[in-house]
Amino acid sequence: MRHILIAIAALVFAAPAFANSRIKDMVDVEDVRDNHLVGYGLVVGLDGTGDSLRNASFTNQSLNAMLEQFNVNTRDANLNTRNVAAVMVTASLPAFSSQGSRIDVTVSAIGDASSLQGGTLVATPLFDSLGRAWAVSQGTLTVGGFQAQGDGASITRGVPTSGRIANGALVENPFAGSGIDPWAEIANRTALRLSLRNPDFTTARRMADAINAYIGGNTARAIDPGTVELRRPTSFGGDMIDLLAEVEQLRVEADLPARVIIDENTGTIVMGQNVRVSTVAIAQGNLTITITETPIASQPNPFGNGETEVLERTDIQVTEDNMQLGILEGSVSLAELVDGLNALGVTPRDLITILQAIKAAGALQADIEVL
């Protein structure tokens, strides 16, 4: 943990050139976004690890409906196969995907199937939130987890009921219902908006200033902390796509709020560059309680009528380390703050407690976010 904090501080302060980021990596362009797709289908070819048709009635109904499409009537049959599983198929359709392009899909079981290993997804349409079909997915699953069991024990690694199909969906109907070429529509625009992924007043103004300094005039204007409006000058010798290609390569230094991110489950701490601390004294000590159980057997006399009994022996020891008192000077940089906390020799768990106590004392000039 200590090495991670030192490495972060060294990266921020020893290489300031990396603080400038491309506008391309900081914003999302208006109307240029991915679309979430979802579908319901069946995975076949499982080795007895699929849904039990008696418990998963929806799997039974889906199997019957699929077989009817091939003129196989099984409505009155008592199906008892466990080689089929009902699944939900999800995917993300990138912006401006052309017809015939392929995208990855994720397949997840929704019944009582124990594993999708070795299964094949049957052709499944994928729909958006408005019910429009955009792609069709099909293929053999790749499952990262596995499950094995014997008569007396079983073992499971990962999640065997979820898998992926690389390039498993074929885009069939991009931009359904629009009736226009989206690229041409964007190219002919005279203005559009850039949405900052991390809204900030200073960053938005810096971005607008950088665009105006490069293109000239009042090409860009910060509307709010999360939006920069981009207008195509009449003197610019190109369309809006040409202007975006020029603008997105410009570099801007992002100004982010001082924030400390804490994940108590893993003991991970991430501190931003602008984190500052006022002068504060920190005392840190550890209390260790050790409990040792040493049961002994008490045997009866030979040829006696007594019984063997187990006597409990418990030994409790309390060890308290010497308290360490350290002083962190006010208005220190992130690197100095890390060095001061590391000098106390604290563990990640203790460091989390110390940061929260400093914040409670009003000495930490940053927001703490606990994940």
Side-chain angles (χ1 to χ4, degrees), residues 47-119:
D47 187 16
T49 59
D51 294 340
S52 57
L53 300 185
R54 295 180 180 178
N55 296 333
S57 58
F58 49 85
T59 306
N60 194 1
Q61 296 174 8
S62 301
L63 181 58
N64 289 327
M66 182 187 69
L67 292 177
E68 283 184 354
Q69 296 180 2
F70 299 97
N71 298 323
V72 179
N73 187 3
T74 58
R75 289 294 179 180
D76 297 329
N78 185 18
L79 300 179
N80 195 27
T81 179
R82 292 214 59 170
N83 298 335
V84 182
V87 295
M88 296 301 297
V89 184
T90 57
S92 181
L93 180 67
F96 310 118
S97 296
S98 59
Q99 187 172 6
S101 60
R102 292 184 174 273
I103 56 177
D104 298 342
V105 298
T106 301
V107 181
S108 305
I110 59 176
D112 58 355
S114 58
S115 176
L116 299 180
Q117 184 71 42

Side-chain angles (χ1 to χ4, degrees), residues 11-73:
L11 178 62
V12 171
F13 291 96
F18 290 101
N20 294 334
S21 302
R22 296 184 305 174
I23 292 180
K24 181 177 185 177
D25 302 321
M26 302 171 63
V27 302
D28 292 317
V29 181
E30 182 182 14
D31 292 338
V32 180
R33 62 178 180 83
D34 294 348
N35 292 276
H36 295 300
L37 305 180
V38 63
Y40 170 83
L42 292 176
V43 171
V44 299
L46 302 176
D47 187 16
T49 59
D51 294 340
S52 57
L53 300 185
R54 295 180 180 178
N55 296 333
S57 58
F58 49 85
T59 306
N60 194 1
Q61 296 174 8
S62 301
L63 181 58
N64 289 327
M66 182 187 69
L67 292 177
E68 283 184 354
Q69 296 180 2
F70 299 97
N71 298 323
V72 179
N73 187 3

